[in-house]
């Protein structure tokens, strides 16, 4: 007689208090772009400019989450999520970017937070996921120091509005993208191609984070930032490739990690971006590197880079024209033949373990969360629904990497799938689907994919299947 293995033998279990979440961002899902007093953000202006977003798509309607949030919270509840990471649209709550508050905008987030708490789901707001109020860009945007102070004021007003009910706060999302896709390559809003402005934007985003963290902390609130980190490998051992890897790792990873966790910028990166001046003033770095309670890490893939002349640039948007790597414009990005997602990004879960281990061992210890991880595939609906085995395999492999680093002692406390549902994928518009839930953009119907059901079962069991080797 054969006996069935017990659950403990087949399950790769995560800690009981591990946070199981999914993430979204305001401009990508809310829609209602001109409703209830919301002002324009740089993304409204950018997306309405021809030749910026595939298909001329905009976030005007997006997935209409502004009107359907109750249905969406019910969906999260049915998946068993224990946390939901969303972002607050700054121009919805403070259309001018300074000055008067829009109560109707604040009410939306109050209602969302209440609905989440009622459903037993922890709200994890991010205050800046790239939608700068247009009036602040008109005054110079993130390259202007003043923007950092406006950001801290906005953080304080959000603390006033929901700070009694929200514990976990993220100040800025992926400052690399906001600074370098926004101001160097111009692939993202506001679409400027000014390398010097981009490095100043990077510093002011970090300064804004530090000032906002000061405004938010207290009364048990926990504050962090979310950075997009990559594993970076040289395409070969040739010195120019090794140097390329140092440069990209420097500007993508170390620049932000050293600033946030050590209160300084790496010397080699400062040398790489010369002659551009970041505009750092005395005292800034103590603010940037002030205490945080947790760090969010967004991970998608590994870069293989080369310093060889004439190599292909990174594909960061369908309309890419310039490099988002000030001072390292010559660096090329190569593919090594691994399977790719619909974004053309090679799948490499070992990079996630590498990144988490690095942050967990080379920097002062701080609780870590994977605040984004996921994949786009060309999902299709059939009579049976949406079958997305590739997404399940992607997430499972990355959760396996998470489990391995937790076992090794890295303080990883939670995982947020990107994304809860299909949405406006920036320069790619609605052409790339990252959701666990499929959206029929014509009807706004929400159709959970097989990955959503699978993720729900992972949450319910508290882990994933052991592989035969484990
Ligand atoms: C990240 C963004 C997120 C989403 C994913 C695919 O860079 O933070 O909004 O676009 O990529």
């Amino acid at each position: 007689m054969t006996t069935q293995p017990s659950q403990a033998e087949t399950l790769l279990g995560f800690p009981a208090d591990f946070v199981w979440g999914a993430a979204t961002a305001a401009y990508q899902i809310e829609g209602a772009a001109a409703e209830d007093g919301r002002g324009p953000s740089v993304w409204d202006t950018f997306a309405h400019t021809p030749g910026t977003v595939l298909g001329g798509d905009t976030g005007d309607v997006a997935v209409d989450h502004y009107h359907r949030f109750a249905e969406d919270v019910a969906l999260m509840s049915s998946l068993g999520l224990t946390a939901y990471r969303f972002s607050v649209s700054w121009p919805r709550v403070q259309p001018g970017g300074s000055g008067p508050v829009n109560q109707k905008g604040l009410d939306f987030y109050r209602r969302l937070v209440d609905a989440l708490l009622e459903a037993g789901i922890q709200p994890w707001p991010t205050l800046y996921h790239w939608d700068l109020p247009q009036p602040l860009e008109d005054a110079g945007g993130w390259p202007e120091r003043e923007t950092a102070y406006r950001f801290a004021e906005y953080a304080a007003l959000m603390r006033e509005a929901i700070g009694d009910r929200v514990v976990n706060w993220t100040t800025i999302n992926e400052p690399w993208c906001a600074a370098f896709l926004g101001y160097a390559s111009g692939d993202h809003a506001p679409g400027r191609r000014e390398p010097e402005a981009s490095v100043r934007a990077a510093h002011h985003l970090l300064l804004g984070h530090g000032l906002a963290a000061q405004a938010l902390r207290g009364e048990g609130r926990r504050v962090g930032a979310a950075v997009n980190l990559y594993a970076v490998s040289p395409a070969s051992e040739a010195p120019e490739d090794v140097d390329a890897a140092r440069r990209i790792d420097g500007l993508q990873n170390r620049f932000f990690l050293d600033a946030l966790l050590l209160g300084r910028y790496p010397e080699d990166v400062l040398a790489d971006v010369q002659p551009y001046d970041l505009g750092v003033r005395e005292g800034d770095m103590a603010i940037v590197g002030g205490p945080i309670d947790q760090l969010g890490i967004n991970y998608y893939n590994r870069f293989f880079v080369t310093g060889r002349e004439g190599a292909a640039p990174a594909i960061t948007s369908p309309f890419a024209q310039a490099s988002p790597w000030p001072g390292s414009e010559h660096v090329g990005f190569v593919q090594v033949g691994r399977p790719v997602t619909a974004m053309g990004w090679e799948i490499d879960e070992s990079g996630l373990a590498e990144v988490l281990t690095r942050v967990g061992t080379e920097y002062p210890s701080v609780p870590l969360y994977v605040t984004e991880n996921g994949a786009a595939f060309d999902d299709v609906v059939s009579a049976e629904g949406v079958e997305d085995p590739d997404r399940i395999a992607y997430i499972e492999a990355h959760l396996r990497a998470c489990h391995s680093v937790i076992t090794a002692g890295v303080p990883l406390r939670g995982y947020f799938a990107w994304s809860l549902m299909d949405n406006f994928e920036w320069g790619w518009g609605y052409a790339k689907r990252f959701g666990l839930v499929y959206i029929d953009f014509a009807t706004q119907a929400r159709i959970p994919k097989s990955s959503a059901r699978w993720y729900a079962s992972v949450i319910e069991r508290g882990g994933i299947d052991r592989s035969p080797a484990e």
Side-chain angles (χ1 to χ4, degrees), residues 20-24 76 79 81-86 371 415-421 436 455:
W20 295 103
T24 63
M76 296 173 213
L79 298 183
L81 298 187
T82 63
Y84 171 52
R85 175 174 181 243
F86 59 97
T371 34
Y415 176 92
F416 291 77
W418 182 271
S419 177
L420 174 67
M421 50 196 169
L436 298 170
Y455 192 50

Side-chain angles (χ1 to χ4, degrees), residues 28 129-130 173-174 177 298 300 345 372 418 425-426 434:
Q28 296 181 275
H129 202 125
W130 310 348
N173 178 69
E174 301 193 351
C177 294
N298 298 353
Y300 289 94
W345 299 345
E372 285 183 26
W418 182 271
E425 178 48 35
W426 310 114
F434 275 90

Side-chain angles (χ1 to χ4, degrees), residues 173-177 226-230 252-253 296-300:
N173 178 69
E174 301 193 351
W176 183 88
C177 294
V227 288
N228 50 325
L229 303 182
Y230 293 78
Q252 181 77 61
N253 300 323
I297 294 174
N298 298 353
Y299 174 84
Y300 289 94

Side-chain angles (χ1 to χ4, degrees), residues 3-334:
T3 49
Q4 293 292 322
S6 71
Q7 160 138 329
E9 287 164 33
T10 56
L11 184 79
L12 202 55
F14 282 67
D17 57 356
F18 194 73
V19 171
W20 295 103
T24 63
Y27 189 72
Q28 296 181 275
I29 63 164
E30 285 181 2
E35 234 172 285
D36 289 343
R38 178 186 179 279
S41 78
V42 291
W43 264 98
D44 295 280
T45 309
F46 184 76
H48 279 273
T49 307
T52 57
V53 176
L54 205 62
D57 292 345
T58 73
D60 287 1
V61 176
V63 304
D64 198 29
H65 171 73
Y66 186 75
H67 298 113
R68 293 166 197 259
F69 78 91
E71 180 189 345
D72 292 338
V73 172
L75 204 52
M76 296 173 213
S77 200
S78 73
L79 298 183
L81 298 187
T82 63
Y84 171 52
R85 175 174 181 243
F86 59 97
S87 83
V88 176
S89 162
W90 185 354
R92 194 181 288 293
V93 303
Q94 192 184 35
S98 62
V101 169
N102 178 30
Q103 284 302 334
K104 284 189 172 166
L106 279 182
D107 284 346
F108 170 69
Y109 295 105
R110 289 193 185 105
R111 288 199 303 268
L112 174 61
V113 165
D114 286 346
L116 289 165
L117 291 173
E118 210 161 292
I121 301 169
Q122 299 169 29
W124 279 60
T126 295
L127 293 183
Y128 189 71
H129 202 125
W130 310 348
D131 43 359
L132 188 70
Q134 184 61 42
L136 291 186
E137 177 56 30
D138 296 341
W142 284 109
E144 286 301 320
R145 191 178 171 87
E146 279 302 306
T147 305
Y149 294 95
R150 298 294 82 75
F151 180 64
E153 289 162 10
Y154 150 62
L157 85 83
M158 288 312 299
R159 181 202 61 215
E160 288 300 307
I162 54 173
D164 57 337
R165 282 157 297 156
V166 172
V167 176
N168 295 284
W169 296 74
T170 303
T171 54
I172 51 174
N173 178 69
E174 301 193 351
W176 183 88
C177 294
F180 299 116
L181 297 179
Y183 294 92
S185 70
D187 294 345
H188 279 188
R192 286 164 61 181
R193 298 202 177 96
E194 302 164 39
E196 174 135 38
S198 76
V199 301
R200 297 175 77 87
H203 176 59
H204 294 148
L205 279 152
L206 287 164
L207 182 63
H209 150 80
L211 294 166
Q214 291 177 352
L216 289 166
R217 291 182 87 227
E219 298 163 332
R221 285 182 291 270
R222 303 181 57 82
V223 182
V227 288
N228 50 325
L229 303 182
Y230 293 78
V232 182
S233 301
S236 80
E237 288 314 312
E240 63 270 29
D241 290 357
V242 172
D243 181 64
R246 178 195 61 72
R247 285 168 173 272
I248 300 306
D249 175 49
L251 196 53
Q252 181 77 61
N253 300 323
R254 288 184 287 115
F255 182 84
F256 296 97
L257 291 171
D258 287 15
L260 291 167
L261 298 173
L262 302 174
R264 62 174 189 242
Y265 291 122
E267 289 297 329
D268 64 313
V269 180
L270 293 179
D272 290 342
V273 302
Q274 270 181 18
Y276 308 131
D277 175 18
L278 278 68
V280 180
R281 295 200 191 153
E282 207 182 324
D284 281 5
M285 296 316 291
I287 298 169
V288 170
I292 52 173
D293 305 292
Q294 52 211 25
L295 183 71
I297 294 174
N298 298 353
Y299 174 84
Y300 289 94
N301 59 324
R302 181 189 295 277
F303 290 148
F304 285 92
V305 297
T306 175
R308 228 179 334 106
E309 293 259 331
I315 304 167
T316 47
S317 114
F319 302 102
Q321 290 184 32
S323 167
W325 304 100
S328 299
E329 288 86 354
H330 66 286
V331 172
F333 291 70
V334 300

Side-chain angles (χ1 to χ4, degrees), residues 345-370:
W345 299 345
E346 289 188 321
I347 301 169
D348 190 340
E349 63 275 9
S350 74
L352 176 57
E354 195 173 303
V355 158
L356 290 169
T357 302
R358 175 198 215 168
V359 180
T361 57
E362 294 176 22
Y363 287 89
S365 182
V366 54
L368 305 178
Y369 291 85
V370 172

